[in-house]
């Protein structure tokens, strides 16, 4: 008998501190699988952000650094410019990337920094207890939109891929999900392509993973997958938004 | 014959593996881990094809698959 | 590059000195009155094979410096007061993670938008850490363009020696003036001392983690004790100041930076005129503060006059050093105001004539 599936080499043995059913740890494993497949583990440097994934540095077997809230792309920029042959990635939530860190996101993308942003979009602030995030859907109840998010008061959920797809510095941009095995495999493939864009020196890459947050959404893990498919899927269409390697921009279905 | 190995202590009882096992061979055990979660177990080993979907979808890397 | 004599603008001298100190990463953002430094680096850094980035904000800039420093490079940013305010969280992270870097604050009038004239009103922000948490930054106070050069080079050394940020507290005059300088010979920066923690290819070694979060009970407090010991060591070893005609002075002026330039000429002028004799104690490091040297003045029962371009900030540290054992008076300008020789000589006269400390704000007279 041969092991056909197990823990990737780049992932440490540390049990995850996330809630049951959380997507963060799934994305960690897929990141590690992509890194293993590309054979770049020792060259990798991860940048952790502030949020539920603040401890992502514990889960990998290569160098890691923690960034201030929202600043991971800037920190990654500083490291990559000094160590260009290292493979830099950040792991950020929607509060970190699409709220306080929007300027760092847009300008690192616009400069075409050769870094990879792994963006877990679960439409809520998890670590701080379920507050509204820039990607919180209209009508969604959170601890800071108790009556449900109202567009005329709290604006609209932010579509990050659509926001930065026009920036010339962006070489690879895809939105995936991890709510079923097929999407899990697609996310792994997307991460590999994003890292490959960095390795090929083509520019900035970002993979947005539409993610479930059972605790923040107040649902059982299994129910959160269904809700994600229906509600999140409707507002955040999955697909490749940009693939410099494939020359012509991929139209989203 | 293909089989899965569950790390009882890493499991948090999210039941994704049960949801997505194409052969419906996994179900929650009666036992608990130290955190108090019911961990899954393969109740119908003969039907397991070693497809590893349970492993892919598990958020805790709690499942190893052998073939 | 070999040592050479140059006529240089202060801001540019900082840039060239940093390059000669082996700085190969600069991230900055435009703000008057320090733009010449950012512009100079944008031209010279690529020539030295380093990285120059004009960041989207001062916040992004300090976080790029945080990353570059974590990768083992000698790194730098610069700004004026408002920008340094924005960088405080990043600086706190650098201290908490024990990462070196160097930065310059070319101070302007404040608070708020203020103006672009010179001031020293960022003294507390610089010497008290300035951001969240218990930490300090080594603060150098140049008063000539030559000192901008030498204290920049020293700044990088001290930062690496203690794995802690160090800074220059300049002002709009020092940054904008031109003076002849001896531009020092280039230092060959050897990053090997950092391979124990610097981020990079982790092949064949323990992996490195750079973080400032410590949740387990007691761990953060123990880390703070460790930092405290470092800061006590800095206070014991890195204090620098200049004494000028202090021994027989009736009134000793305490001033740094541009205010010290004016005070020094006031000391000379007063002695030439005869009458009361003045002396000057000029702190070169604002943190660690020359507490003992000032306490000595108090022992000699000499009158002390603080001359600063801020409203009672340096004054507070001087009074703390003296602990009430001598009379400490204040001559203060701020918001772009400058002290003059005559104001200082006149103020010294009022000190001698009064049994109580005097506080003089010439702009009101």
């Amino acid at each position: 008998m041969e092991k056909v599936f197990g823990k990737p080499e780049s992932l440490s043995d540390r049990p995850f501190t996330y809630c049951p059913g959380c997507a963060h740890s799934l994305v960690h494993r897929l990141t590690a699988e992509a890194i293993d497949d590309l054979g770049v583990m020792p060259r990798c440097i991860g940048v952790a952000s502030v949020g539920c994934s603040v401890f992502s540095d514990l889960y990998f077997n290569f160098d890691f650094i923690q960034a201030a809230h929202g600043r991971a792309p800037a920190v990654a920029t500083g490291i990559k410019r000094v160590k260009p042959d290292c493979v830099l990635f950040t792991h950020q939530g929607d509060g970190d990337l699409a709220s306080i860190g929007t300027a760092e996101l847009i300008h690192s993308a616009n400069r075409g920094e050769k870094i990879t942003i792994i963006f877990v979009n679960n439409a809520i602030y998890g670590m701080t207890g379920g507050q509204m995030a820039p990607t919180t859907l209209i009508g969604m109840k959170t601890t800071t939109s108790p009556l449900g998010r109202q567009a005329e008061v709290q604006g609209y959920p932010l579509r990050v891929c659509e926001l930065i797809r026009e920036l010339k510095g962006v070489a690879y941009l895809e939105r995936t999900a991890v709510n079923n095995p097929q999407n899990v495999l697609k996310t792994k493939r997307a991460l590999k392509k994003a890292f490959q864009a960095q390795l090929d020196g083509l520019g900035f890459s970002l993979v947005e993973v539409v993610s479930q947050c059972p605790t923040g959404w107040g649902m059982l893990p299994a129910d959160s997958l269904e809700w994600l498919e229906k509600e999140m899927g409707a507002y955040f269409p999955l697909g490749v938004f940009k693939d410099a390697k494939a020359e012509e921009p991929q139209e989203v279905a | 014959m293909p089989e899965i190995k569950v790390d009882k202590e890493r499991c948090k009882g999210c039941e994704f593996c049960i949801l997505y096992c194409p052969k419906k061979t996994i179900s929650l055990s009666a036992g608990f881990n130290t955190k108090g979660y019911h961990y899954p177990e393969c109740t119908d080993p003969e039907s397991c094809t070693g497809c590893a979907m349970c492993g892919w979808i598990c958020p805790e890397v709690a499942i190893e698959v052998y073939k | 590059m070999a040592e050479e004599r140059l006529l240089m603008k202060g801001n540019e001298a900082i840039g060239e000195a940093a390059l000669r100190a082996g700085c190969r990463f600069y991230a900055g953002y435009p703000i008057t009155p320090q733009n010449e430094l950012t512009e100079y680096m944008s031209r010279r850094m690529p020539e030295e094979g380093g990285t120059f980035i004009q960041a989207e904000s001062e916040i992004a800039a300090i976080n790029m410096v945080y990353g570059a420093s974590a990768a083992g490079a000698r790194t730098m940013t610069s700004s004026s007061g408002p920008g340094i305010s924005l960088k405080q969280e990043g600086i706190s992270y650098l201290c908490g993670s024990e990462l070196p870097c160097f930065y310059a604050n070319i101070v302007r009038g404040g608070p708020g938008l203020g103006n672009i004239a010179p001031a020293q009103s960022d003294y507390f922000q610089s010497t008290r850490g300035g951001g969240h948490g218990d930490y300090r930054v080594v603060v150098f106070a140049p008063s000539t363009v030559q000192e901008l050069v030498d204290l920049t080079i020293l700044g990088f050394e001290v930062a690496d020696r203690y794995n802690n940020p160090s800074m220059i507290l300049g002002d709009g005059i020092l940054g904008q003036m031109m003076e002849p300088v001896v531009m020092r010979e280039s230092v060959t920066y050897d990053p090997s001392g950092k391979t124990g923690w610097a981020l990079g290819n982790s092949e064949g070694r323990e992996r490195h983690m750079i973080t400032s979060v410590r949740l387990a009970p007691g761990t953060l407090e123990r880390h703070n004790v460790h930092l405290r010991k470092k800061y006590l060591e800095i206070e014991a070893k890195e204090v620098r100041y200049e004494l000028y005609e202090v021994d027989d002075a009736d009134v000793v002026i305490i001033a740094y930076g541009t205010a010290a330039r004016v005070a020094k000429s006031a000391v000379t002028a007063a002695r030439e005129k005869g009458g009361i004799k003045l002396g000057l104690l000029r702190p070169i490091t604002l943190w660690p503060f020359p507490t003992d040297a000032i306490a000595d003045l108090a022992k000699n029962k000499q009158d002390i006059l603080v001359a600063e371009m801020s409203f009672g900030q340096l004054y507070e540290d001087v009074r703390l050093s003296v602990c009430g054992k001598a009379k400490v008076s204040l001559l203060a300008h701020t918001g772009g105001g400058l002290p003059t020789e005559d104001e200082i000589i006149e103020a010294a006269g009022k000190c001698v004539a009064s049994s109580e400390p005097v506080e003089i704000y010439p702009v009101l007279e």
Side-chain angles (χ1 to χ4, degrees):
Chain A
M1 288 265 271
E2 189 221 341
K3 186 156 83 168
V4 292
F5 181 83
K7 184 183 80 59
E9 197 202 341
S10 303
L11 209 63
S12 74
D13 299 326
R14 185 98 182 209
F16 296 112
T17 52
Y18 299 108
C19 309
C22 175
H24 273 295
S25 44
L26 258 173
V27 174
H28 287 328
R29 193 196 78 230
L30 295 170
T31 305
E33 283 175 7
I35 287 168
D36 282 7
D37 287 3
L38 293 167
V40 289
M41 180 168 90
R43 291 171 55 193
C44 280
I45 300 175
V47 182
S49 59
V50 173
C52 287
S53 63
V54 67
F55 296 116
S56 36
D57 51 304
L58 301 177
Y59 303 129
F60 292 95
N61 289 332
F62 42 77
D63 285 4
F64 234 94
I65 181 171
Q66 235 152 25
H69 193 38
R71 316 308 173 194
V75 176
T77 296
I79 301 170
K80 181 72 178 189
R81 294 291 191 105
V82 172
K83 294 272 173 75
D85 48 19
C86 282
V87 180
L88 265 292
F89 73 90
T90 76
H91 181 105
Q92 297 173 258
D94 37 46
D96 193 278
L97 184 89
S99 192
I100 188 171
T102 323
E104 279 75 12
L105 161 69
I106 287 176
H107 288 281
S108 55
N110 199 48
R111 285 191 306 267
E113 297 294 344
K114 298 176 183 61
I115 58 178
T116 299
I117 308 282
I118 300 171
F119 165 38
V120 171
N121 172 12
N122 55 18
I124 201 143
Y125 279 77
M127 170 68 85
T128 43
Q131 292 79 13
M132 185 180 79
T135 49
T136 293
L137 298 179
I138 299 297
M140 214 171 144
K141 286 192 172 69
T142 72
T143 54
T144 50
S145 60
L147 306 175
R149 179 174 190 168
Q150 301 149 317
E152 62 282 5
V153 178
Q154 290 129 336
Y156 299 88
L158 197 63
R159 289 188 176 118
V160 166
C161 284
E162 288 81 347
L163 183 68
I164 65 169
R165 70 190 301 174
E166 296 310 326
L167 300 178
K168 296 229 174 334
V170 177
Y172 191 80
L173 184 61
E174 181 172 356
R175 177 183 291 133
T176 68
V178 282
N179 60 323
N180 60 51
Q182 293 70 22
N183 281 340
V184 162
L185 289 188
K186 280 190 192 145
T187 302
K188 176 181 173 179
R189 205 178 312 126
L191 291 169
K192 275 175 82 172
K193 281 194 174 166
F195 280 120
Q196 194 59 55
Q198 175 177 167
L199 291 168
D200 298 343
L202 299 176
F204 179 89
S205 50
L206 181 144
V207 176
E208 174 180 349
V209 184
V210 180
S211 299
Q212 65 276 3
C213 174
T215 302
W217 297 354
M219 299 171 193
L220 289 173
D223 301 340
S224 69
L225 298 187
E226 216 186 304
W227 191 83
L228 182 142
E229 184 78 31
K230 204 153 61 54
E231 302 295 333
M232 296 282 277
Y235 193 85
F236 297 108
L238 308 186
V240 177
F241 287 76
K242 202 162 192 191
D243 184 350
K245 207 165 193 178
E247 272 41 79
E248 73 293 346
Q250 303 289 304
E251 268 326 306
V252 179
Chain B
M1 191 179 48
E3 67 169 355
I4 65 170
K5 233 174 97 228
V6 175
D7 180 336
K8 297 192 182 77
E9 286 312 315
R10 287 188 76 113
C11 172
K12 293 175 185 161
C14 72
E15 303 180 34
F16 286 176
C17 51
I18 296 168
L19 190 65
Y20 282 111
C21 171
K23 299 289 183 185
K24 295 301 165 204
T25 69
I26 306 174
S27 57
L28 283 189
S29 73
F32 297 96
N33 64 17
T34 44
K35 287 202 185 78
Y37 292 113
H38 286 292
Y39 48 86
E41 59 188 7
C42 181
T43 51
D44 179 8
E46 286 76 27
S47 314
C48 174
T49 65
C51 70
M53 282 211 194
C54 55
W56 291 344
I57 197 64
C58 172
E60 306 303 332
V61 197
I63 299 174
E64 285 180 344
V65 183
Y66 294 83
K67 215 171 175 179
Chain C
M1 298 172 86
E3 184 168 290
E4 51 188 316
R5 281 189 64 80
L6 300 167
L7 176 65
M8 280 194 99
K9 177 169 276 203
N11 281 330
E12 293 181 349
I14 296 172
E16 186 58 32
L19 289 164
R20 304 224 171 178
C23 172
R24 287 300 175 269
F25 185 93
Y26 174 92
Y29 188 85
I31 186 168
T32 303
Q34 65 84 58
N35 291 310
E36 295 84 358
L37 172 48
T38 307
E39 291 157 6
Y40 188 83
M41 285 306 218
S42 71
R43 183 166 53 81
R44 282 281 294 124
M45 189 59 96
E47 286 173 0
E48 298 296 330
T51 299
F52 167 84
I53 300 180
Q54 181 173 315
E56 57 270 27
S57 72
E58 289 95 343
I59 294 173
I62 190 70
N63 280 286
M64 291 175 188
V65 162
Y66 171 79
S69 174
R74 272 191 165 175
T75 69
M76 173 182 178
T77 186
S78 62
S79 190
S80 183
I84 299 293
S85 297
L86 289 174
K87 295 176 194 282
Q88 291 304 324
E89 184 195 29
I91 292 160
S92 173
Y93 265 70
L94 278 147
C95 292
S97 312
E98 295 199 88
L99 287 173
C101 84
F102 176 73
Y103 61 98
N105 178 359
I106 308 301
V107 181
R108 62 193 249 174
L113 186 56
N115 64 23
I116 55 170
Q120 298 180 323
S121 34
D122 299 354
Y123 178 91
F124 278 154
Q125 177 191 60
S126 315
T127 57
R128 284 356 187 228
H132 61 287
D134 287 297
Y135 70 91
R136 292 296 179 115
V137 171
V138 180
V139 184
F140 295 101
S143 69
T144 64
V145 176
Q146 185 62 54
E147 277 194 330
L148 285 175
V149 170
D150 296 336
L151 293 176
T152 291
I153 294 169
L154 179 61
F156 278 103
E157 272 166 38
V158 167
D160 280 355
R161 193 178 300 154
Y162 298 98
N163 277 341
N164 197 80
S166 74
M167 70 172 287
I168 269 185
L169 191 69
D171 63 43
I173 283 185
L174 290 166
Q176 300 284 333
M177 74 188 335
M178 291 186 82
E179 277 183 331
V181 294
V182 174
M183 187 50 71
R184 304 299 176 197
E185 194 187 2
S186 295
V187 164
T188 41
Y189 166 54
D190 165 18
S192 61
K194 300 180 179 178
T195 45
W197 52 262
L199 302 181
N201 190 317
S202 50
E203 183 78 60
R205 67 159 165 76
E206 284 291 308
R207 80 182 193 110
H208 294 157
M209 262 161 53
I210 292 184
T211 172
S212 54
V213 66
R214 287 169 178 80
L215 280 193
T219 50
L220 183 59
E221 190 166 7
R222 271 193 293 281
H223 180 62
N224 271 282
V225 170
H226 159 68
L227 293 178
R228 174 83 179 142
K229 283 201 187 99
K230 176 166 40 173
Y231 297 135
L232 291 174
E233 187 188 350
I234 294 174
E235 282 179 338
K237 293 181 179 165
E238 304 294 346
V239 171
R240 288 167 176 80
Y241 58 89
E242 178 198 6
L243 293 176
Y244 179 70
E245 309 270 22
V246 165
D247 299 341
D248 64 341
D250 306 316
V251 179
V252 177
I253 302 158
I254 299 182
Y256 67 91
T258 295
R261 293 174 73 100
V262 179
K264 201 171 233 183
S265 38
V267 168
T268 320
R271 284 181 179 258
E272 275 152 13
K273 247 192 267 172
I276 54 169
K277 290 195 222 49
L278 302 185
L280 170 68
L281 183 152
R282 177 174 72 92
I284 296 171
T285 54
L286 299 178
W287 190 85
F289 194 68
T291 312
D292 301 342
I294 294 173
D296 291 347
L297 299 179
K299 278 198 215 97
N300 313 336
K301 288 281 170 272
Q302 285 169 296
D303 235 317
I304 294 173
L305 171 64
V306 174
E308 60 180 285
M309 290 150 60
S310 46
F311 274 4
Q313 297 189 41
L314 174 63
Y315 184 50
E316 197 165 294
D317 274 346
V318 172
R319 291 167 72 197
L320 279 172
S321 308
V322 161
C323 289
K325 295 194 185 75
K327 184 151 54 96
V328 181
S329 297
L330 170 66
L331 169 67
H333 278 276
T334 197
L338 280 177
T340 65
E341 272 178 43
D342 297 340
E343 280 172 3
I344 290 178
I345 295 169
E346 209 188 305
K350 285 182 184 153
C351 288
V352 173
S354 154
S355 59
E356 286 306 309
V358 288
E359 288 198 7
I360 303 160
Y361 302 92
V363 70
L364 302 180
E365 277 145 34

